């Protein structure tokens, strides 16, 4: 996890523009560098480093003697860089996993490069010999990337939008800052003036397709067929492989643990694999919640079962409320459920940074979207519509859960790892018949739970624990976190303000005092940027007025039985 930033064709003094790059310093607390591009006085790279792999030669932009005309600034981890080296005979000059991007590009161009990378990444690659700039982002957008491109060819690129919004340019303030689409690469021509012109934007991977890099994966061809035992075995093999490849780190590994199915599976498999390779330290797991919240109690059971060094972060409503503004600033969104869920994750990340030496943090993001874990999937009209909804959620992850997970951890200089979004694992799961993936017997993620039933990785009551939204599980059953927030905000927003909300905020107008309150804070820091969120996250197939699972009928009946 790092912060990357680059400008091409700046009309303003670069030393002034570079101040914008300091807005993302939290992403790389270990070192930073600014470097001008030889021969282009108005182009430069900025890099904030979190040293996780190759602490000696890991500074960027990466340049190697073999390709003096290539400049690379990237954020991410490429898990198959050693397999690619073996397959193609690459001669690396550093231990940095990202160096493989230079060798792949030299061998087969940008399309093959992006398609062969097994990992999470966003990168800026400059080829001065052919006067090209390339931008690319991983399939699910686990690593963030934003860009701004003016009509006259000034390009700014950054890990977070906050590093671009104050850039100055002769024709205008840079207003069209937008997220770079996951699973895409862009080719731009670099003119002698340093300005650029976009040539093409290409989708290099669809998450339903088996990735090109599967050919050189450590797991060979899996048994085919959809009989249940084969499917369950393949799910276990691929998930374990997803966790194993993410063990690549020179810094201490930890794991977020809510006590729900997803984080518990990640923690259990992670600890098992760490023991197998004789990692010299115990796995630290981290749970957050208010006193006696469901998450704290469940996480305690899991930690005891797997034998992790468990940490509990207990917070009160006042601490959560006080964090709202800094959380929204970090997130760069005003989505209701994202803000709610981010507060707990932000506070636990703050604790990890201050009180421990864990830096590489595993988490369970992506499972709900992939395995149909949201309560409202019980109301899907058909397996086919449930499958379509699952794919829609995965496509939009970069706007919601993946955004939350990245920003809340990156705000405290931590690196996130999400094995449920492994390319091979997700493409296999999505290839299964739609009727296999739906909730069964009133239980969501039935297939995933079934797959691990005989593994003894988790206590039965955790393996079959019903879905609890992170923003709800951290509070007590009697009073949800969203109710606590709403009670506080009710006193902060006048009824008249809400009545006129649609006039003040015509795009995504707030319908509740809570959404109005978040929008006010967002507009304070990012005025006029409301289009970064195309729509609010809301359940489907139910007449929901609030995104919390606790407002849904299915949840109420389950907790009252």
């Amino acid at each position: 996890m790092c912060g990357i930033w680059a400008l091409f064709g700046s009309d303003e003094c670069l030393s002034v523009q570079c101040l914008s790059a300091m807005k993302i310093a939290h992403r790389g607390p270990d070192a930073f560098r600014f470097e001008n591009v030889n021969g282009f006085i108005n182009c430069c790279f900025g890099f904030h480093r979190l040293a996780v792999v190759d602490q000696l030669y890991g500074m960027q932009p990466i340049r190697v003697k073999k390709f003096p005309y290539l400049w690379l600034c990237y954020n991410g981890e490429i898990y198959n860089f050693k397999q690619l080296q073996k397959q193609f005979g690459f001669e690396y000059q550093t231990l940095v996993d990202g160096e493989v991007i230079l060798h792949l590009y030299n061998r087969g161009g940008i399309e093959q490069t992006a398609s062969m990378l097994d990992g999470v990444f966003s990168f800026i690659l400059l080829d001065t010999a052919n006067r090209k700039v390339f931008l690319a982002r991983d399939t699910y957008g686990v690593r963030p990337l934003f860009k701004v491109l003016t009509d006259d060819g000034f390009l700014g690129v950054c890990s977070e939008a906050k590093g671009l919004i104050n850039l100055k340019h002769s024709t205008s303030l840079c207003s069209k800052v937008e997220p770079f689409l996951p699973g895409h690469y862009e080719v731009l021509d670099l003119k002698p003036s340093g300005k650029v012109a976009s040539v093409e934007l290409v989708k290099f991977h669809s998450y339903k397709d088996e990735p090109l890099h599967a050919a050189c994966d450590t797991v060979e061809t899996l048994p085919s067929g959809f009989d249940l035992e084969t499917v369950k075995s393949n799910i276990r093999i691929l998930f374990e492989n997803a966790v194993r490849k993410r063990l690549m780190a020179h810094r201490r590994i930890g794991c977020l643990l809510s006590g729900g199915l997803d984080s518990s599976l990640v923690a259990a498999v992670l600890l098992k694999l760490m023991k197998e390779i004789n990692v010299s330290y115990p796995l630290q797991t981290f749970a957050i919640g208010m006193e006696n919240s469901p998450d704290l109690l469940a996480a305690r059971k899991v930690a005891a079962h797997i034998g992790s060094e468990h940490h509990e972060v207990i917070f009160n409503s006042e601490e959560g409320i006080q964090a709202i503004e800094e959380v929204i600033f970090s997130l760069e969104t005003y989505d209701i459920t994202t803000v709610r869920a981010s507060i707990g994750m932000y506070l636990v990340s703050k604790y990890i940074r201050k009180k421990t030496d864990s830096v590489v943090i595993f988490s369970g993001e992506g499972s709900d979207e992939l395995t149909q874990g949201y309560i409202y999937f019980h109301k899907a009209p058909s397996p086919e519509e449930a499958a379509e909804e699952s794919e829609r959620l995965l496509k939009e992850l970069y706007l919601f859960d993946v955004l939350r997970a990245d920003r809340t951890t990156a705000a405290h200089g931590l690196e996130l790892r999400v094995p449920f979004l492994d390319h091979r694992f997700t493409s296999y799961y999505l290839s299964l018949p739609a009727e296999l993936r739906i909730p069964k017997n009133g239980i969501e993620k039935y297939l995933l739970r079934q797959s691990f039933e005989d593994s003894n990785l988790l206590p039965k009551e955790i393996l079959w624990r019903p879905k609890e939204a992170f923003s709800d599980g951290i509070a007590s059953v009697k009073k949800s976190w969203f109710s606590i927030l709403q009670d506080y905000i009710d006193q902060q927003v006048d009824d008249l303000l809400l009545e006129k909300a649609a006039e003040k905020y015509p795009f995504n107008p707030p319908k509740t005092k809570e959404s109005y309150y978040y929008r006010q804070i967002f507009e304070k820091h990012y005025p006029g940027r409301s289009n970064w969120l195309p729509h609010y996250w809301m359940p489907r197939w139910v007449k929901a007025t609030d995104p919390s699972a606790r407002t849904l009928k299915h949840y109420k009946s389950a907790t009252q039985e």
Side-chain angles (χ1 to χ4, degrees):
M1 197 281 299
C2 301
I4 60 175
W5 181 89
L7 297 185
F8 297 90
S10 173
D11 292 339
E12 299 292 321
C13 172
L14 286 178
S15 58
V16 174
Q17 300 278 52
C18 282
L19 293 173
S20 285
M22 299 313 291
K23 294 279 183 68
I24 59 161
H26 51 274
R27 297 190 69 90
D30 294 333
F32 74 91
R33 173 192 281 176
F34 293 109
E35 190 165 341
N36 287 4
V37 179
N38 303 341
F40 295 91
I41 55 168
N42 56 359
C43 302
C44 76
F45 287 92
F47 179 66
H48 294 277
R49 185 173 188 220
L50 178 68
V52 172
V53 175
D54 194 352
Q55 300 186 354
L56 186 59
Y57 294 107
M59 277 305 283
Q60 298 186 32
I62 296 173
R63 303 183 68 205
V64 295
K65 286 179 184 175
K66 193 171 183 181
F67 315 119
Y69 49 88
L70 297 182
W71 303 60
L72 173 67
C73 227
Y74 92 106
N75 170 25
E77 298 80 44
I78 311 303
Y79 304 122
N80 64 341
F81 76 109
K82 287 182 179 174
Q83 289 97 300
L84 290 169
Q85 179 183 33
K86 192 175 173 182
Q87 181 167 337
F88 297 123
F90 294 151
E91 293 178 10
Y92 293 155
Q93 292 181 25
T94 72
L95 299 175
V96 179
D97 51 290
E99 187 189 331
V100 71
I101 295 169
L102 301 176
H103 295 267
L104 279 173
Y105 171 72
N106 179 69
R107 182 185 181 277
I110 190 64
E111 174 97 36
Q112 188 193 62
T113 301
S115 302
M116 288 298 287
L117 298 175
D118 182 7
V120 293
F121 57 86
S122 56
F123 67 75
I124 308 151
L125 176 63
L126 168 63
D127 178 347
T128 54
N130 293 296
R131 293 192 179 279
K132 298 285 185 192
V133 177
F134 304 97
L135 309 178
R137 189 176 181 191
D138 69 74
T139 301
Y140 295 108
V142 174
R143 290 293 176 262
L145 193 66
F146 286 81
K147 74 163 199 177
V148 59
L149 179 60
T150 63
D151 293 339
D152 67 337
F154 167 54
L155 174 68
V157 188
C158 189
S159 295
E160 297 182 20
K162 56 181 69 69
L164 299 175
I165 56 173
N166 293 320
L167 290 174
K168 299 292 185 289
H169 191 60
S170 57
T171 56
S172 65
L173 284 170
C174 297
S175 57
K176 295 178 186 173
V177 176
E178 56 191 6
F180 190 82
L181 286 175
H184 286 70
Y185 68 80
E186 185 171 11
V187 182
L188 303 107
D189 282 334
L190 178 65
K191 298 172 183 176
S193 63
K195 307 277 189 192
V196 302
S198 181
V199 177
E200 59 177 345
L201 178 68
V202 178
K203 185 176 184 178
F204 66 84
H205 182 227
S206 174
Y207 38 80
K208 288 177 75 173
D209 300 334
E210 184 171 70
L212 196 61
H213 56 70
C216 59
D217 198 356
T218 48
V219 170
E220 295 175 12
T221 308
L222 294 163
S224 58
F226 296 133
D227 66 279
L228 192 56
E229 289 311 309
T230 299
V231 167
K232 283 159 52 176
S233 170
N234 287 347
I235 286 171
R236 288 193 301 273
I237 289 166
L238 288 174
F239 184 68
E240 193 166 299
N241 185 50
V243 176
R244 184 183 287 108
K245 68 178 75 164
R246 284 163 175 77
L247 288 170
M248 182 181 89
H250 295 160
R251 302 287 285 273
R252 184 166 184 163
I253 291 170
C255 188
L256 299 181
L257 180 59
S258 70
L261 174 67
D262 309 328
S263 63
S264 299
L265 268 181
V266 171
V269 173
L270 176 58
L271 194 138
K272 172 182 170 245
L273 296 177
M274 286 171 70
K275 281 181 179 172
E276 283 179 14
I277 61 171
N278 297 316
V279 170
S280 60
Y281 53 81
L283 174 66
Q284 293 180 328
T285 50
F286 303 95
I288 185 164
M290 295 179 176
E291 203 79 56
N292 294 320
S293 65
D295 278 5
L296 282 184
L297 301 175
R300 210 175 286 164
K301 272 185 197 167
V302 176
H305 183 84
I306 65 175
S308 62
E309 180 193 300
H310 192 54
H311 296 243
E312 290 186 352
V313 182
I314 296 169
F315 78 106
N316 58 38
S317 53
E318 192 178 319
E319 289 170 304
I321 287 162
Q322 281 178 348
I324 293 172
E325 180 155 355
E326 56 195 90
V327 165
I328 290 173
F329 175 73
S330 294
L331 291 175
E332 304 172 335
T333 188
Y334 53 93
D335 177 63
I336 304 160
T337 192
T338 304
V339 174
R340 285 179 190 167
S342 294
I343 291 166
M345 202 162 179
Y346 184 88
L347 292 174
V348 75
S349 298
K350 191 175 187 178
Y351 169 90
I352 294 168
R353 183 69 188 174
K354 281 188 173 180
K355 305 286 188 182
T356 78
D357 59 346
S358 286
V359 173
V360 176
I361 306 299
F362 279 68
S363 189
E365 269 69 36
S367 176
D368 285 324
E369 291 76 10
L370 177 67
T371 65
Q372 302 184 15
Y374 293 114
I375 299 290
Y376 71 85
F377 272 98
H378 291 280
K379 303 291 185 186
S382 68
E384 290 69 30
E385 285 186 65
E388 283 175 23
E389 173 66 358
S390 177
E391 288 165 29
R392 182 189 72 83
L393 290 169
L394 286 166
K395 186 181 177 183
E396 293 189 343
L397 262 175
Y398 76 105
L399 297 167
F400 300 108
D401 277 25
V402 153
L403 179 149
R404 163 180 56 78
D406 173 81
R407 300 301 195 288
T408 54
T409 50
H412 301 290
L414 304 176
E415 177 174 293
L416 185 77
R417 301 218 170 155
V418 282
F420 275 109
L421 291 176
D422 180 78
H423 300 164
R424 188 102 186 267
F425 180 72
T426 56
S427 65
Y428 176 75
Y429 206 95
L430 292 170
S431 76
L432 298 173
E435 59 272 12
L436 265 186
R437 294 182 270 146
I438 57 171
K440 286 189 176 65
N441 305 332
I443 299 170
E444 62 286 337
K445 305 187 210 179
Y446 195 86
L447 177 60
L448 182 65
R449 297 175 198 271
Q450 240 188 336
S451 300
F452 288 92
E453 191 168 26
D454 300 322
S455 66
N456 197 36
L457 280 169
L458 295 173
K460 285 279 189 285
E461 67 268 28
I462 297 297
L463 188 65
W464 295 95
R465 183 188 176 200
K467 166 70 182 164
E468 178 92 67
F470 181 54
S471 58
D472 295 332
I474 59 173
S476 72
V477 174
K478 289 177 185 172
K479 189 158 189 180
S480 282
W481 173 229
F482 79 89
S483 301
I484 293 166
L485 283 168
Q486 286 171 347
D487 287 352
Y488 166 75
I489 291 166
D490 198 46
Q491 307 302 312
Q492 310 301 312
V493 177
D494 190 81
D495 291 346
L496 193 61
L497 286 175
L498 187 60
E499 281 173 32
K500 296 186 175 180
E503 292 172 37
K504 188 172 184 181
Y505 304 122
F507 184 79
N508 279 341
K511 300 253 180 10
T512 64
K513 287 188 175 184
E514 184 185 9
S515 60
Y516 188 95
Y517 185 71
Y518 298 159
R519 181 65 169 271
Q520 264 189 323
I521 295 171
F522 175 86
E523 294 286 347
K524 172 183 167 185
H525 294 287
Y526 307 109
R529 315 278 179 173
S530 60
N531 63 336
W532 289 346
L533 176 69
H535 61 87
Y536 293 106
W537 192 99
M538 281 296 232
R540 297 191 74 184
W541 307 308
V542 287
K543 290 177 182 175
T545 54
D546 190 281
S548 170
R550 286 203 185 170
T551 63
L552 301 183
K553 211 174 194 175
H554 181 91
Y555 179 89
K556 288 174 183 171
S557 60
T559 56
Q560 285 162 7
E561 283 169 6

